[in-house]
Amino acid sequence: MSMTPYERVFARLKGLPVDRIPNLSILMTFAAKYIGKRYDQYVRDFRILVEGNIRCCKDFEIDMLSVISDPMRETHAFGAEVVFPVDGVPYAQAPFINSFKDLENLSSKDPLDEVRLFDRVQAVYLYKQECAQEYPILGWVEGAFAEACDLHGITETMKDLYEAPEFLIDLLEICTSQAIIFAESQIDAGADFIGIGDAAASLISPKMYQKFVLPYEQRIIQAIHAKGARAKLHICGNTTSLLSLITETKADMIDVDYPVNFNNAIQIFGTQISACGNFEPSNVLFLGNSSGVQAAVKNCVAIAANNTMIAPGCEVPRDTPVENLKSISKTLWEIADQQIN
């Protein structure tokens, strides 16, 4: 049976038979380079982002179109000064929120009225026009804790876990509201999934995660589900100590980075949550060779459950050799063929 990427991903999510396991590699800087565009162009022009993703998904047989590009879209909309390196990832020039007084002027923004938020909504809409029902479309928002770090600075946010929890909770409330509004706009434009990037959450203890991260991720995911879309949670780094708590988010899919034991994550997530991962992007995909990629993919598949998706633990590095990236889906097809025969 031959399936479209849309059919393949949704069947796998339910644990149903598929023609091959989906490849959900995350594309950002690689996609821009692949189509010969600078990254500052890619993150500010939805047409370039869409072109890069569609080209890569077709050429490398990746099974999900994504609008992920950088964590500064909401930060920019809130009013922070964001730097756009000519061929690098945008970043905030300095912390934008430093006190309760700054919080008084912080409020949620309408994604249709803010240039960088609307650019992402337009990307979703263009995907829907170009590839509806052929590929699942992944929208993207920053998780509340990650956004708090973007606005306030990661060092100050970590200090506030202990020194100013009331301030941090107020900031998290605003960030959560913004994430929900932004997610809903992307779902209205046609997103099937919303990815939630909450990278900084891997840096804190389970106790702190339970208080300052989990409730806000749950609210964002509840809102996504209420709009009829699925949620994909992405927390970079070593989340081993958080795996059981992360299941309480009720995300449909959770990315598992390479420092985490993939088998443990799969067992903990069970049949209700799809694990996605998790070989190393740098040493295996970027610095390695195609045979190493093949071995890494086979290792992940060997422990996969019926709802497991395959991808590097995080973003495909910008200068990844083309043959290495092609090896992911090539290996998945070979495994599928062997299982049939």
Side-chain angles (χ1 to χ4, degrees):
M1 60 175 177
S2 179
M3 307 177 82
T4 65
Y6 186 96
E7 293 167 338
R8 186 177 296 128
V9 168
F10 277 97
R12 186 71 172 177
L13 199 63
K14 297 174 183 177
L16 300 175
V18 291
D19 55 351
R20 69 156 169 82
I21 299 173
N23 170 5
L24 299 190
S25 297
I26 296 174
L27 300 166
M28 292 191 281
T29 52
F30 180 94
K33 180 186 176 183
Y34 189 67
I35 61 168
K37 299 294 184 181
R38 301 192 317 265
Y39 203 59
D40 62 316
Q41 298 173 315
Y42 183 90
V43 302
R44 290 197 279 190
D45 188 335
F46 71 95
R47 292 160 295 192
I48 294 173
L49 184 150
V50 166
E51 178 190 352
N53 269 264
I54 291 177
R55 283 267 303 278
C56 285
C57 282
K58 290 185 180 299
D59 290 359
F60 298 98
E61 296 188 275
I62 296 168
D63 294 295
M64 185 176 283
L65 294 167
S66 172
V67 297
I68 184 175
S69 62
D70 66 278
M72 290 290 122
R73 290 189 185 252
E74 293 97 321
T75 306
H76 184 274
F78 279 126
E81 182 179 349
V82 174
V83 178
F84 295 88
V86 169
D87 205 11
V89 179
Y91 63 92
Q93 183 71 37
F96 183 61
I97 301 297
N98 297 293
S99 65
F100 272 112
K101 185 175 177 61
D102 293 336
L103 277 181
E104 293 174 4
N105 298 318
L106 195 69
S107 61
S108 300
K109 307 298 182 182
D110 183 344
L112 305 186
D113 290 336
E114 296 293 333
V115 61
R116 297 209 68 226
L117 302 187
F118 186 49
D119 181 78
R120 180 170 284 174
V121 174
Q122 287 177 296
V124 173
Y125 183 69
L126 184 54
Y127 280 145
K128 196 69 174 178
Q129 288 182 307
E130 298 284 335
C131 302
Q133 303 303 307
E134 181 183 0
Y135 288 90
I137 300 166
L138 176 70
W140 200 268
V141 300
E142 286 293 287
F145 191 74
E147 183 58 27
C149 291
D150 294 336
L151 289 167
H152 187 43
I154 192 164
T155 301
E156 291 304 313
T157 303
M158 295 300 171
K159 287 167 60 178
D160 286 346
L161 291 168
Y162 300 92
E163 297 177 3
E166 300 85 359
F167 168 85
L168 183 54
I169 287 171
D170 285 351
L171 178 55
L172 289 167
E173 287 291 335
I174 297 169
C175 294
T176 300
S177 296
Q178 183 63 67
I180 289 171
I181 294 168
F182 195 18
E184 290 174 339
S185 291
Q186 293 174 72
I187 296 166
D188 288 341
D192 304 292
F193 288 80
I194 297 292
I196 303 160
D198 227 353
S202 66
L203 302 176
I204 63 176
S205 69
K207 181 179 178 180
M208 290 298 178
Y209 176 88
Q210 196 164 24
K211 180 176 181 180
F212 292 101
V213 182
L214 179 59
Y216 306 99
E217 289 177 344
Q218 287 174 325
R219 282 166 51 188
I220 295 168
I221 289 168
Q222 286 167 2
I224 292 167
H225 287 161
K227 290 284 285 185
R230 272 76 167 184
K232 183 177 190 275
L233 182 60
H234 182 91
I235 303 177
C236 306
N238 192 344
T239 57
T240 299
S241 66
L242 305 177
L243 289 176
S244 294
L245 287 170
I246 289 174
T247 64
E248 296 181 25
T249 63
K250 306 300 182 185
D252 302 278
M253 189 186 305
I254 296 175
D255 289 341
V256 181
D257 208 348
Y258 76 91
V260 180
N261 183 296
F262 199 35
N263 184 59
N264 287 350
I266 290 167
Q267 297 305 314
I268 290 170
F269 294 169
T271 60
Q272 299 304 307
I273 297 174
S274 174
C276 181
N278 88 325
F279 58 91
E280 188 173 354
S282 296
N283 285 336
V284 173
L285 194 59
F286 169 43
L287 297 174
N289 54 39
S290 57
S291 62
V293 175
Q294 181 183 48
V297 171
K298 286 183 176 179
N299 287 339
C300 290
V301 172
I303 56 177
N306 289 339
N307 62 346
T308 302
M309 313 283 180
I310 299 300
C314 201
E315 176 194 1
V316 172
R318 177 184 182 272
D319 297 317
T320 293
V322 166
E323 287 306 312
N324 286 3
L325 189 54
K326 284 184 177 180
S327 290
I328 300 175
S329 284
K330 181 181 178 182
T331 303
L332 292 173
W333 279 120
E334 290 172 354
I335 293 169
D337 290 342
Q338 290 169 2
Q339 290 172 344
I340 292 172
N341 298 325

